[in-house]
Amino acid sequence: RKEVEQDPGPFNVPEGATVAFNCTYSNSASQSFFWYRQDCRKEPKLLMSVYSSGNEDGRFTAQLNRASQYISLLIRDSKLSDSATYLCVVNINGGKSTFGDGTTLTVKP
Amino acid sequence: ETGVTQTPRHLVMGMTNKKSLKCEQHLGHNAMYWYKQSAKKPLELMFVYNFKEQTENNSVPSRFSPECPNSSHLFLHLHTLQPEDSALYLCASSQSPDRTRGIGYTFGSGTRLTVV
């Protein structure tokens, strides 16, 4: 089993739709969680950290469920510019960060 | 422009060539990383440096040789590469490998390497 698992997609949604991605992790000692966005042929960029209480940044909401060992990313009112690959990143205290394989989102007009 | 600068952006090299990739970060971070990303594949961690000391080598072939002269600079020396080494090579930096502060990585724009 992979340390970090994501549904690769692709998710194809119309503009304005709400879409959610989940990411599961296997190590219960994981402490820090992030969502990154990677556009085609570009570097990954930090989208948002994920906090225990959940956090929101505009149209984006991140949640952490420690009991079930998953994090989620919700995108409301999807824009064409949201089309990208979304990477889940999990870090164990004092250890390296592990990247998921990514979920590809395509928002269509 | 990000706080992590990689050069060159593109590189084409023959299998007998020797070349080096350079990474420089201006963020005051203490840890630097090399990642490889082949076409339509996930990121693969290659090397980790923390305070100039290599703390991880993820079973990378010896034809890839990293060098970290200080906390701001990281090099990846390449020699006798194979065509399957063609990929996007990404450098990243962070405050430290310990992510408990909730601070993520900053990536450079990458070097797109083609081995012919």
Side-chain angles (χ1 to χ4, degrees):
Chain A
R1 184 187 171 187
K2 288 184 178 179
E3 291 182 54
V4 177
E5 292 205 64
Q6 294 184 248
D7 181 344
F11 284 65
N12 296 308
V13 303
E15 270 187 293
T18 296
V19 62
F21 311 133
N22 279 345
C23 167
T24 59
Y25 60 94
S26 59
N27 194 322
S28 59
S30 300
Q31 291 289 330
S32 300
F33 309 89
F34 307 88
W35 283 103
Y36 279 74
R37 170 195 170 125
Q38 185 173 25
D39 292 290
C40 187
R41 301 176 70 83
K42 296 284 185 69
E43 76 275 19
K45 293 185 178 178
L46 180 64
L47 179 64
M48 56 198 305
S49 302
V50 186
Y51 302 118
S52 297
S53 54
N55 47 300
E56 187 174 310
D57 182 2
R59 298 181 293 108
F60 298 84
T61 301
Q63 298 275 359
L64 167 62
N65 186 317
R66 287 192 184 274
S68 301
Q69 293 185 198
Y70 75 85
I71 66 172
S72 63
L73 177 68
L74 180 78
I75 305 176
R76 290 182 299 278
D77 189 23
S78 300
K79 311 290 185 191
L80 295 177
S81 57
D82 294 333
S83 298
T85 297
Y86 291 84
L87 303 168
C88 163
V89 181
V90 175
N91 178 268
I92 299 169
N93 185 17
K96 69 179 183 183
S97 291
T98 301
F99 283 75
D101 291 355
T103 297
T104 299
L105 170 66
T106 301
V107 181
K108 299 186 175 180
Chain B
E1 190 68 56
T2 67
V4 178
T5 305
Q6 284 188 247
T7 55
R9 294 292 295 271
H10 300 274
L11 177 62
V12 179
M13 60 185 288
M15 289 188 283
T16 58
N17 291 160
K18 289 184 180 181
K19 296 287 183 183
S20 295
L21 309 185
K22 179 182 176 182
C23 176
E24 184 174 357
Q25 58 97 358
H26 313 278
L27 300 168
H29 288 166
N30 298 313
M32 297 185 78
Y33 312 79
W34 280 117
Y35 279 86
K36 174 184 177 182
Q37 190 172 37
S38 302
K40 299 189 176 180
K41 290 190 175 179
L43 288 164
E44 299 174 48
L45 178 64
M46 299 176 73
F47 302 104
V48 180
Y49 278 83
N50 189 27
F51 289 97
K52 304 189 302 179
E53 299 298 321
Q54 187 180 126
T55 57
E56 187 157 345
N57 175 338
N58 211 24
S59 302
V60 180
S62 59
R63 58 185 184 270
F64 295 91
S65 175
E67 179 190 359
C68 188
N70 54 60
S71 294
S72 300
H73 293 84
L74 185 65
F75 295 90
L76 187 63
H77 304 300
L78 316 171
H79 64 98
T80 60
L81 295 191
Q82 305 297 312
E84 59 265 29
D85 296 323
S86 299
L88 178 67
Y89 288 84
L90 289 160
C91 173
S93 71
S94 68
Q95 191 65 32
S96 76
D98 177 355
R99 297 275 65 71
T100 57
R101 298 179 188 176
I103 303 171
Y105 292 1
T106 301
F107 283 87
S109 301
T111 295
R112 190 159 298 279
L113 173 67
T114 303
V115 181
V116 297

